Amino acid sequence: LPLQWRERLMRELMPTEGMSLATTLYTYYGQRALWGHVLCNVNELIINGDSDSLLLWWRAIALGFSAMSSCTCNQSEPIQELMVLRAKPELRLATLYALLHFQNYVDIGDPNDHITDSDDVQSLKVEASNEREHASYDALMLAAKFHWLAANQALGTIVSRHYLKNAESLLKIVLRGVSVQSDERFRAQVALAWVNMSFCGKNKDKESWSQELLRQALNEGCTQSAQLDTVMALAHHYETSGNIEASISQLDRAIALQSWIPALLEKARLLACCAKWNQAVEMLHRVLQRDEKNFTAHRLLVLYELTQTGNLHCVNAYLDKMALAMECHEHHNAHLLIETSRSLSRVCGGRKSVLERVLALTMKAVAMRPTDARFLAELAHQQAMLGNYNQAINTCQEVARNDEANIEGLLEIIHCLILTGELEDAEQQVNMISVLGESIQRSPRLLLLKAKLAWQQSADAQCHVSLLQQAEKLHLRHIELQTSNDVIERCFREDAEFVILLATEYLLHVEPPISIGTELFFLSDERIALDHGCNLLSLLTDHFPGLIEAHLMHAHCCFHTHDFETALHDVEAALAIDVQSADAHLLMARILLTKCRLAEANASLEEAVACNFDVRETLEYQLTRSQLLCTEGHFEDACAQLINSLKLPGVRAPLQSESLHQPRLYECASAFVALADIFVSMNRFFDARALLAEASERFRQTSQETRILLAASELAIRCGNCEAADRMLGSVSRKSNAYVCAQVLKANMNLNWRRDKHQYVSCYREIALAFPTAESYQRLGAAYMHIQSLEAAIVAFKESEREAGRTLNLSAMIGKALIATHDYGNAAEYYTQALLAHPNDVQFRRNLAKLYAKLNKPRKAVEVLMLVDDDADAERTSTTLKVECLILLAEVCASPSEVSFAHGTNPCDGPPLLEAAQALRQARDLQEGTVERSNRSDLREAKKMMARIYERLAKLSENDCAAVSCYLEALQFDPTSLQIKSKLARLHLSSGMLGECEELCMSIRQEDNMHEEAAEMLADIFFLRREYESAIKHLCRVVQARPNGYFALVKLVQLLHRSGRSSETQLHLGLVRTHSPRAVSHPGYNVCCGLNARFRSDAVTAVKYFNLARQDGIWGPLALVQLVDIYLNPENESLSEGRCSLIVDSEAVDMARRFLHELESFSLSPEMRLGAQILKARVIMATSKSDIDRAMQILLEVIQTDQNCVPAIFGISMGFLMEGSIAKARNALKRIAKLPHSHGWIRELERSYLFLAGSSCFMVASGQLQPQIFTFEGVNLTSPKTYVNVV
């Protein structure tokens, strides 16, 4: 069995080349100072019967280096073992150098502590010098390797350089003596490259030489162990050169060679440095599958869970496994213990369970080196993080006894003194440090401590923020100078704990702003503190997304600046880390309240209480609960809640005891203001005034005094006492931060209560006089815009432009003002000039394209939009803006314009409709990526945009099936969109799919019982089924609920006419007049009256009503169409009984032509546009027979657009009939008879069938048309000719 175990271990550790691969592995461990791993591997081999002298040498030096790290190890054991190995010729030189090293530096804490006299050391040097003269090449390379390993362990740069030079000289001797293609030469080249790369500082000559040596060794061929060492050396070379990708590529090569655990670990470390944690974790799990007690893998996994996921359960589990692995391999490695514990403590976020485990590692390291001041200082720091300030102070005193100049210990004792309230002692310590030197003065931690002292002693906000800025700048500078790719060391240098302390100090100055309209006014003196704190926390959450405290603090910052979306994202990230965080749930409730998501806010409040019952006693919870109750209309409960909140300690009067937690001052003021607002809502004005008077006394000469004054002025305004409010707001001096806010409140009072526009603008002029800045002039310009004084607004905006230069926001304001004055030419020119200055701004480009589209210049709009992808930087451009630009491009391309899109002038490559569809498909592809990347808060809007794209694709679809497919896709992304459901239902109705249409309409009516369009379609469906009562009932219900819903009323008038119940129309029109006496002036009402008169064949009355509505933007097109039809067919006849002449008297034609010209000035829908073209053809036909060909050409163009357009085909048949081509006319009408039934052309189909059946010249068998005539007998009971033809 021992032999079998030995053979198995040799196969796993040294599968092909025995000791060479073992040496490569031990070299890697030695380079990383993991001498415990070397000892474990060597001892296991020795136990299993392998007594190779080289293994014994590795064991001896591993013991020696371990003794240097820990004072508790047996320091004589390595010396004794090396003395035995002196007799081995191949090991003698390396052994002598090792003896010299360990005898001089047995105790690394005291390099002058020698265990032998100088004569013994001198004899060893002489013996080593003599041995060097005749040593073999293998002995020289082993001695060089020891010098290189000793250099990596040496603390002093001079000592390290001495060892590296010795190693370099030994390897050069080997290279001069060995043959060119020998394995010894390859290994010597690799070793020399390692030595060159270990020299401190950048040496380009040595770097290039090292790279050349390694490539030469790799290309000329060498053994597997030498090749593995070469690849690892190349990876290290690329890493130190900053080429991480090339280094990872070399490590992949090493993994392919041997699937070597060190290569996997190095790759995982580099991936972690590049923030590619998912790949790094995969590498680490591969390591743990082969070595479940690998310390390095467990340590990196702990760091991953702490900084990236924040999963406390996994952190503690991996910490326990890491401690077990360390106990197995590196239990004497004090430096490794302290290096690990200090880094993990900086990124643990103050979590007690993690700190306790980390502190245990630190205490083990201190037990090994009890006099090392650096170790003791780290122990004190971690004790202070756990709140054990007295223990930390005692440990700092121990640091001072061992090393009086240790800065970390001095800073930690100052920190503890400040936290315990001993400010005078802390100040004395700071003064003592000030005399030690300028380098100490530039410590970021010392600057932070000075800032804390300045704030707590004198409340000097300016000095406080200034010192914090210096500390921040210096800390970030230190991070920039950090070049190490060791992720453990990088976490220690970045020091997330220090950044959180810095941000916490910044946020002491944060107070919620006062919101007036869409503008925020900060009353705090140090507005810059909020920006600095927010930026620091943003960097922290990017680098360490697993720190819940950073997410919550950043969420608070964003919440106070009304950036609710970012705040919501941060809170969601915090809850993903710890779902039991009461603070996160409470902040989530506050954010949801601002979005009026009351049910979710209430659920979040309940979750907060469930996680921590003590949260109910906090002022923040009381304010949030009262705001929720007030929003729901429960003013009594909200009032009781706030009255209870005023009873909390420190709210009505400041606390005298410093041991109690003092609530934030602005939260106390918020409780008073909120309760006063509720009193006003309950009409308890006397109580509100009394409460604000008490608040005025409570916050006199504090930062909240002005806020209470502004609240009292708002109360006076709401009570109608504008004079008192004017006096209060006028008392705010120009030096106050609240002056601008007070003037804006006064301006709103003058406009909304006094109705005085001049006084309204004068307040903004006062602001501009007091602070002649670009922002003030922008406010003044916006005020002029608000009262429609557009020329003065442009002047104010131009003044702002002179102050701050041309900015995008200002350019947009000026352009908007120019458009409002109808100066479209100057607006377009101004937009164009601004776009030249900011060519990458997609939003500005979109605004210019919109202006061109409104000016009916689609070619220019397309030219502007086509440059979006060419000019805009993908990294700086919002994907949402790009999608919106593509949608606008599709709209412009799809818009008809005979002038701009004439042949050869379209900037698109293909037909406009194809280009529009292509732009929409490109927008769809971009938006798909946005939907996949969106978080939960943004997903809803991203899906709505996707539905909007599919909706527009449906409009451009070539056939109904494709349109239905697009609408269904749109409903997948936005299933609650009534607009999309309505359009899909309309498409089903026009296609004759009545069942599907009815199902969709019923779904719409469930969500909106008074939806007019759904009611109209349901009425059409029931009417086509001859269920007249049901059809009319649906519309009557909508009309009775909304008498001014004229779209439904128009449909009702039409259905009542077709069902033969026109007499009931007057009843519904009278209901409208009763509901609104001014209905007689509404265009929609006049259209309904005109249709009613038209159906009664009262053309004169119909013309009167349609004339009243023809100027309206919504109802004008319908009224003009009816007017044209009246003048062309005043008797409303169906052109049967062989009446083939369409010629009308010239006066009527002139009127029809005039109305048609008016119709073309409107922005028409595609269906209405086709109708206008058909009316144009009818007008031409009614003029004279000589213009029939021109009319026929217009109708043929319409048919090319829509092959099943019944009115156009019917018009062509009439043209043929006027020309005497009876056969062609009959064929055209038969084509109509063969078309599927279309609800959209029901009136035109009726005319066509009746004309075909009633005209004797066509000689069509009545049996062929009887089914169609029976159909229209059911949909128009008022047509007598229908009955005649049926008979």
Side-chain angles (χ1 to χ4, degrees):
L1 280 178
L3 180 60
Q4 292 175 3
W5 278 106
R6 178 178 178 275
E7 290 175 353
R8 177 183 175 185
L9 186 62
M10 291 294 290
R11 284 197 303 270
E12 292 179 357
L13 182 64
M14 299 168 284
T16 57
E17 296 184 76
M19 188 55 66
S20 296
L21 284 175
T23 301
T24 304
L25 179 65
Y26 298 156
T27 303
Y28 170 79
Y29 285 144
Q31 185 185 4
R32 295 288 182 267
L34 299 175
W35 294 108
H37 286 70
V38 177
L39 277 174
C40 290
N41 279 288
V42 172
N43 288 337
E44 196 167 356
L45 290 174
I46 293 174
I47 290 172
N48 287 281
D50 195 338
S51 57
D52 190 289
S53 57
L54 184 57
L55 286 177
L56 297 175
W57 182 83
W58 278 105
R59 168 184 160 78
I61 66 167
L63 285 172
F65 285 120
S66 296
M68 291 172 59
S69 175
S70 174
C71 297
T72 60
C73 293
N74 187 354
Q75 301 177 6
S76 62
E77 184 178 1
I79 303 298
Q80 294 172 0
E81 293 194 8
L82 287 171
M83 293 296 288
V84 174
L85 293 173
R86 286 174 67 180
K88 303 289 184 179
E90 69 277 10
L91 302 175
R92 184 178 295 116
L93 182 60
T95 303
L96 290 171
Y97 284 131
L99 282 170
L100 281 170
H101 177 75
F102 293 133
Q103 286 182 352
N104 282 284
Y105 299 98
V106 168
D107 187 0
I108 199 168
D110 186 6
N112 297 319
D113 184 11
H114 307 290
I115 62 172
T116 57
D117 55 24
S118 58
D119 294 338
D120 292 337
V121 172
Q122 188 63 33
S123 64
L124 285 174
K125 287 182 179 180
V126 172
E127 186 177 355
S129 178
N130 294 333
E131 182 65 26
R132 178 173 175 171
E133 297 296 330
H134 56 272
S136 65
Y137 296 133
D138 288 338
L140 289 170
M141 282 193 291
L142 186 61
K145 182 166 291 187
F146 175 80
H147 279 90
W148 174 62
L149 292 173
N152 287 330
Q153 316 303 316
L155 296 180
T157 303
I158 297 176
V159 176
S160 174
R161 194 172 186 83
H162 169 73
Y163 279 116
L164 289 174
K165 285 185 176 181
N166 286 343
E168 185 179 21
S169 64
L170 290 170
L171 290 171
K172 286 180 179 179
I173 293 173
V174 176
L175 288 174
R176 285 195 296 266
V178 297
S179 60
V180 176
Q181 294 295 330
S182 64
D183 185 59
E184 288 84 357
R185 182 177 184 84
F186 295 145
R187 289 191 287 114
Q189 286 177 337
V190 175
L192 184 57
W194 277 114
V195 171
N196 288 334
M197 288 186 291
S198 299
F199 277 98
C200 295
K202 291 286 184 180
N203 190 324
K204 293 184 179 180
D205 294 336
K206 286 187 178 292
E207 286 181 1
S208 59
W209 186 30
S210 301
Q211 186 175 2
E212 185 62 30
L213 287 173
L214 293 172
R215 287 179 177 175
Q216 183 180 355
L218 198 60
N219 294 332
E220 293 180 1
C222 53
T223 61
Q224 187 175 8
S225 62
Q227 190 176 6
L228 188 62
D229 199 13
T230 304
V231 172
M232 293 296 290
L234 266 175
H236 183 74
H237 165 73
Y238 285 126
E239 178 188 347
T240 54
S241 302
N243 192 349
I244 302 298
E245 293 298 329
S247 179
I248 292 176
S249 176
Q250 292 299 324
L251 290 172
D252 287 334
R253 191 172 181 177
I255 294 170
L257 280 173
Q258 191 68 28
S259 187
W260 206 35
I261 285 181
L264 291 170
L265 290 173
E266 288 300 299
K267 183 179 179 181
R269 179 178 62 82
L270 290 180
L271 289 171
C273 285
C274 298
K276 299 178 181 179
W277 277 102
N278 291 334
Q279 300 177 46
V281 170
E282 182 183 352
M283 293 293 107
L284 295 173
H285 284 304
R286 285 180 61 182
V287 171
L288 292 176
Q289 286 176 358
R290 298 178 57 188
D291 182 8
E292 62 181 8
K293 292 185 179 180
N294 189 284
F295 162 77
T296 305
H298 284 301
R299 183 170 67 164
L300 285 175
L301 283 173
V302 169
L303 195 64
Y304 165 72
E305 296 294 346
L306 273 176
T307 61
Q308 306 300 313
T309 68
N311 190 327
L312 188 59
H313 176 74
C314 292
V315 169
N316 291 332
Y318 281 125
L319 270 173
D320 293 338
K321 291 179 181 179
M322 184 192 74
L324 181 61
M326 184 174 287
E327 189 65 28
C328 292
H329 298 298
E330 300 290 340
H331 55 282
H332 291 308
N333 197 334
H335 289 285
L336 185 63
L337 284 168
I338 204 68
E339 175 190 296
T340 302
S341 66
R342 71 177 187 176
S343 295
L344 296 181
S345 67
R346 299 307 190 274
V347 294
C348 70
R351 299 180 180 183
K352 186 176 180 181
S353 60
V354 179
L355 277 174
E356 288 174 348
R357 287 172 168 82
V358 170
L359 183 64
L361 299 178
T362 306
M363 294 182 72
K364 286 183 180 180
V366 171
M368 295 179 196
R369 305 186 66 83
T371 60
D372 195 313
R374 296 179 297 108
F375 287 29
L376 289 169
E378 181 59 31
L379 175 62
H381 181 77
Q382 294 178 18
Q383 288 172 339
M385 290 180 69
L386 279 169
N388 301 327
Y389 302 123
N390 293 330
Q391 293 182 14
I393 291 174
N394 294 333
T395 306
C396 288
Q397 293 172 352
E398 185 68 23
V399 171
R401 282 192 291 270
N402 287 279
D403 183 3
E404 294 181 355
N406 186 278
I407 301 302
E408 288 78 7
L410 292 173
L411 296 178
E412 197 57 49
I413 198 170
I414 294 172
H415 189 205
C416 292
L417 290 172
I418 293 174
L419 292 176
T420 54
E422 300 178 18
L423 302 181
E424 294 182 359
D425 293 342
E427 187 178 12
Q428 292 177 2
Q429 294 288 337
V430 169
N431 294 334
M432 183 185 69
I433 290 180
S434 300
V435 300
L436 294 180
E438 180 64 25
S439 60
I440 301 175
Q441 291 294 312
R442 302 304 298 168
S443 167
R445 200 168 191 85
L446 178 60
L447 291 169
L448 173 64
L449 295 175
K450 285 184 175 181
K452 291 173 74 73
L453 273 175
W455 179 250
Q456 295 190 24
Q457 283 185 323
S458 59
D460 189 345
Q462 185 175 1
C463 178
H464 183 232
V465 173
S466 176
L467 288 169
L468 291 176
Q469 287 177 305
Q470 295 177 40
E472 175 192 354
K473 183 178 180 180
L474 194 58
H475 180 69
L476 295 177
R477 177 62 178 165
H478 288 174
I479 293 176
E480 290 176 1
L481 295 176
Q482 172 66 24
T483 58
S484 173
N485 288 319
D486 187 352
V487 67
I488 299 293
E489 180 66 19
R490 182 176 293 182
C491 286
F492 172 69
R493 297 299 179 190
E494 292 184 1
D495 200 350
E497 181 236 350
F498 174 78
V499 175
I500 288 178
L501 288 176
L502 200 60
T504 303
E505 292 298 313
Y506 273 129
L507 299 188
L508 290 176
H509 303 282
V510 173
E511 295 180 2
I514 294 178
S515 176
I516 302 178
T518 59
E519 198 169 2
L520 301 179
F521 296 93
F522 289 86
L523 305 184
S524 174
D525 292 330
E526 299 297 335
R527 173 70 173 86
I528 194 173
L530 176 60
D531 296 333
H532 279 271
C534 193
N535 291 337
L536 276 177
L537 292 169
S538 179
L539 289 173
L540 201 59
T541 53
D542 289 341
H543 291 175
F544 304 110
L547 291 179
I548 184 173
E549 188 175 1
H551 282 292
L552 288 177
M553 292 174 68
H554 190 251
H556 275 287
C557 289
C558 296
F559 180 79
H560 288 317
T561 56
H562 287 210
D563 186 2
F564 299 121
E565 293 300 328
T566 306
L568 184 62
H569 175 72
D570 278 314
V571 175
E572 287 174 346
L575 288 174
I577 296 170
D578 183 9
V579 74
Q580 298 296 323
S581 173
D583 293 336
H585 284 295
L586 186 55
L587 184 54
M588 174 69 83
R590 298 178 66 187
I591 297 170
L592 293 173
L593 264 179
T594 62
K595 295 177 171 290
C596 295
R597 293 157 62 177
L598 305 183
E600 297 174 64
N602 189 36
S604 295
L605 275 179
E606 292 176 357
E607 285 289 338
V609 174
C611 295
N612 184 4
F613 288 115
D614 294 336
V615 78
R616 292 175 297 182
E617 303 303 321
T618 62
L619 187 54
E620 183 180 2
Y621 173 84
Q622 299 278 356
L623 290 172
T624 308
R625 170 61 70 182
S626 65
Q627 185 182 354
L628 176 62
L629 292 170
C630 188
T631 307
E632 292 175 342
H634 306 308
F635 296 109
E636 293 290 345
D637 296 337
C639 182
Q641 189 86 39
L642 284 173
I643 290 174
N644 289 332
S645 70
L646 294 181
K647 298 177 182 178
L648 293 175
V651 178
R652 263 201 157 104
L655 296 174
Q656 301 300 324
S657 175
E658 296 182 358
S659 61
L660 297 176
H661 176 67
Q662 173 72 43
R664 299 290 294 271
L665 201 60
Y666 71 83
E667 289 183 349
C668 300
S670 298
F672 281 94
V673 173
L675 183 55
D677 287 339
I678 293 177
F679 280 152
V680 172
S681 301
M682 299 170 65
N683 294 326
R684 295 169 58 178
F685 298 105
F686 178 79
D687 294 335
R689 282 193 292 268
L691 184 67
L692 288 178
E694 179 187 350
S696 179
E697 292 295 327
R698 162 70 173 88
F699 300 104
R700 188 178 298 279
Q701 296 182 352
T702 67
S703 60
Q704 299 301 308
E705 182 179 12
T706 308
R707 187 181 177 195
I708 299 299
L709 176 65
L710 295 176
S713 65
E714 287 187 275
L715 173 62
I717 293 172
R718 294 172 71 175
C719 293
N721 192 354
C722 295
E723 289 74 14
D726 203 347
R727 287 195 302 271
M728 282 186 258
L729 294 173
S731 65
V732 180
S733 67
R734 291 188 175 185
K735 297 180 180 179
S736 173
N737 293 321
Y739 176 75
V740 176
C741 179
Q743 291 298 318
V744 171
L745 278 175
K746 186 191 292 187
N748 291 339
M749 177 189 69
N750 289 326
L751 182 66
N752 299 326
W753 291 84
R754 291 176 170 175
R755 310 295 181 185
D756 190 339
K757 294 182 180 180
H758 298 290
Q759 289 296 324
Y760 168 74
V761 174
S762 67
C763 293
Y764 286 98
R765 282 200 295 264
E766 287 291 331
I767 296 174
L769 289 174
F771 307 102
T773 62
E775 185 179 5
S776 299
Y777 286 114
Q778 285 184 29
R779 285 197 183 98
L780 180 58
Y784 279 125
M785 289 281 290
H786 191 61
I787 63 173
Q788 298 299 311
S789 183
L790 304 178
E791 290 78 7
I794 294 174
V795 172
F797 287 141
K798 291 291 182 67
E799 190 66 31
S800 177
E801 189 178 36
R802 280 193 291 271
E803 291 289 337
R806 180 171 293 181
T807 63
L808 284 174
N809 186 34
L810 192 56
S811 298
M813 289 181 178
I814 297 176
K816 183 179 178 181
L818 290 171
I819 291 172
T821 59
H822 303 287
D823 191 356
Y824 300 117
N826 285 335
E829 183 180 356
Y830 195 85
Y831 275 149
T832 304
Q833 293 177 359
L835 192 59
L836 291 175
H838 306 278
N840 293 330
D841 190 88
V842 179
Q843 186 171 5
F844 209 78
R845 192 178 293 277
R846 182 190 61 179
N847 293 338
L848 179 58
K850 279 185 177 181
L851 178 58
Y852 280 136
K854 287 180 180 179
L855 294 176
N856 198 22
K857 295 180 179 180
R859 186 176 64 86
K860 289 188 176 181
V862 171
E863 288 176 352
V864 170
L865 291 171
M866 292 290 283
L867 296 175
V868 169
D869 289 336
D870 298 334
D871 294 346
D873 187 353
E875 295 181 356
R876 293 180 293 170
T877 302
S878 170
T879 305
T880 303
L881 287 175
K882 279 191 175 182
V883 170
E884 290 179 358
C885 285
L886 289 169
I887 293 174
L888 181 59
L889 175 62
E891 290 178 358
V892 174
C893 288
S895 64
S897 179
E898 297 179 2
V899 177
S900 298
F901 283 101
H903 182 69
T905 62
N906 182 18
C908 304
D909 296 332
L913 291 180
L914 291 179
E915 289 297 326
Q918 182 180 356
L920 286 174
R921 284 191 288 270
Q922 187 179 354
R924 178 194 61 191
D925 296 339
L926 282 175
Q927 191 64 18
E928 282 178 354
T930 303
V931 171
E932 292 176 359
R933 295 188 302 269
S934 297
N935 53 39
R936 190 173 66 181
S937 60
D938 299 331
L939 186 60
R940 184 181 304 175
E941 293 300 324
K943 286 187 173 181
K944 283 185 178 181
M945 179 66 76
M946 197 71 175
R948 179 183 166 194
I949 295 171
Y950 273 110
E951 180 186 355
R952 296 177 187 278
L953 277 172
K955 291 181 181 179
L956 300 177
S957 299
E958 297 178 354
N959 51 60
D960 290 347
C961 292
V964 169
S965 176
C966 288
Y967 279 129
L968 291 176
E969 286 289 341
L971 286 176
Q972 291 291 327
F973 289 98
D974 190 6
T976 62
S977 175
L978 300 184
Q979 180 181 354
I980 297 174
K981 288 182 179 180
S982 177
K983 290 183 178 180
L984 180 57
R986 180 69 67 185
L987 185 60
H988 284 322
L989 180 62
S990 64
S991 304
M993 303 172 66
L994 303 184
E996 290 81 353
C997 179
E998 182 181 5
E999 183 180 351
L1000 280 170
C1001 290
M1002 296 302 293
S1003 172
I1004 295 172
R1005 293 292 295 275
Q1006 286 178 358
E1007 298 183 34
D1008 183 3
N1009 192 35
M1010 294 294 111
H1011 195 278
E1012 293 185 24
E1013 193 171 2
E1016 293 175 18
M1017 287 186 284
L1018 282 173
D1020 286 333
I1021 292 169
F1022 288 122
F1023 201 88
L1024 290 172
R1025 294 174 178 171
R1026 303 191 183 187
E1027 300 176 11
Y1028 310 121
E1029 291 297 331
S1030 298
I1032 295 173
K1033 182 179 69 175
H1034 277 284
L1035 285 174
C1036 285
R1037 189 180 303 164
V1038 175
V1039 170
Q1040 289 172 2
R1042 297 176 183 172
N1044 57 350
Y1046 295 118
F1047 288 102
L1049 186 58
V1050 166
K1051 179 62 68 174
L1052 180 60
V1053 170
Q1054 293 172 346
L1055 290 185
L1056 288 173
H1057 165 67
R1058 289 180 182 175
S1059 61
R1061 298 163 58 178
S1062 296
S1063 59
E1064 298 179 17
T1065 303
Q1066 291 295 336
L1067 177 64
H1068 294 285
L1069 293 175
L1071 180 64
V1072 174
R1073 290 193 301 270
T1074 304
H1075 177 265
S1076 175
R1078 301 181 62 184
V1080 293
S1081 63
H1082 294 171
Y1085 175 81
N1086 289 316
V1087 167
C1088 295
C1089 292
L1091 287 174
N1092 183 41
R1094 178 73 164 146
F1095 294 147
R1096 290 187 287 107
S1097 299
D1098 187 355
V1100 176
T1101 305
V1103 168
K1104 169 190 169 184
Y1105 282 115
F1106 286 136
N1107 271 320
L1108 293 174
R1110 79 178 202 221
Q1111 300 295 330
D1112 185 68
I1114 297 176
W1115 295 99
L1118 179 58
L1120 288 168
V1121 167
Q1122 293 295 328
L1123 284 170
V1124 174
D1125 189 64
I1126 289 173
Y1127 278 98
L1128 294 179
N1129 184 16
E1131 300 300 327
N1132 197 19
E1133 295 183 355
S1134 299
L1135 301 177
S1136 60
E1137 297 299 337
R1139 294 179 57 182
C1140 303
S1141 176
L1142 298 177
I1143 304 299
V1144 186
D1145 61 272
S1146 60
E1147 185 178 354
V1149 171
D1150 290 340
M1151 291 299 297
R1153 189 180 293 111
R1154 172 187 169 188
F1155 291 137
L1156 188 62
H1157 180 70
E1158 288 185 19
L1159 180 63
E1160 291 176 349
S1161 65
F1162 284 87
S1163 178
L1164 304 177
S1165 64
E1167 295 80 6
M1168 189 69 73
R1169 202 176 298 118
L1170 289 178
Q1173 291 293 96
I1174 295 168
L1175 287 175
K1176 183 178 180 181
R1178 286 181 60 188
V1179 170
I1180 294 173
M1181 284 184 179
T1183 304
S1184 65
K1185 290 185 178 181
S1186 61
D1187 293 331
I1188 291 177
D1189 291 340
R1190 187 157 61 93
M1192 297 275 281
Q1193 183 64 34
I1194 294 174
L1195 294 173
L1196 287 173
E1197 291 177 0
V1198 173
I1199 291 175
Q1200 288 179 358
T1201 304
D1202 185 359
Q1203 297 180 356
N1204 296 331
C1205 183
V1206 175
I1209 300 173
F1210 181 73
I1212 287 177
S1213 70
M1214 293 300 99
F1216 285 140
L1217 197 61
M1218 293 176 67
E1219 291 177 342
S1221 303
I1222 297 176
K1224 293 181 179 180
R1226 182 174 58 246
N1227 292 335
L1229 288 174
K1230 285 183 178 180
R1231 179 182 173 186
I1232 295 176
K1234 294 178 182 179
L1235 289 175
H1237 176 76
S1238 176
H1239 182 74
W1241 307 117
I1242 188 168
R1243 185 183 176 194
E1244 288 74 12
L1245 284 169
E1246 179 188 1
R1247 284 184 175 185
S1248 303
Y1249 294 154
L1250 290 177
F1251 186 76
L1252 187 61
S1255 298
S1256 58
C1257 60
F1258 291 135
M1259 297 179 293
V1260 179
S1262 61
Q1264 298 178 9
L1265 295 176
Q1266 193 169 357
Q1268 287 85 353
I1269 295 173
F1270 268 115
T1271 300
F1272 289 101
E1273 183 268 334
V1275 298
N1276 191 357
L1277 300 180
T1278 62
S1279 176
K1281 295 177 183 179
T1282 302
Y1283 293 105
V1284 171
N1285 285 289
V1286 169
V1287 173

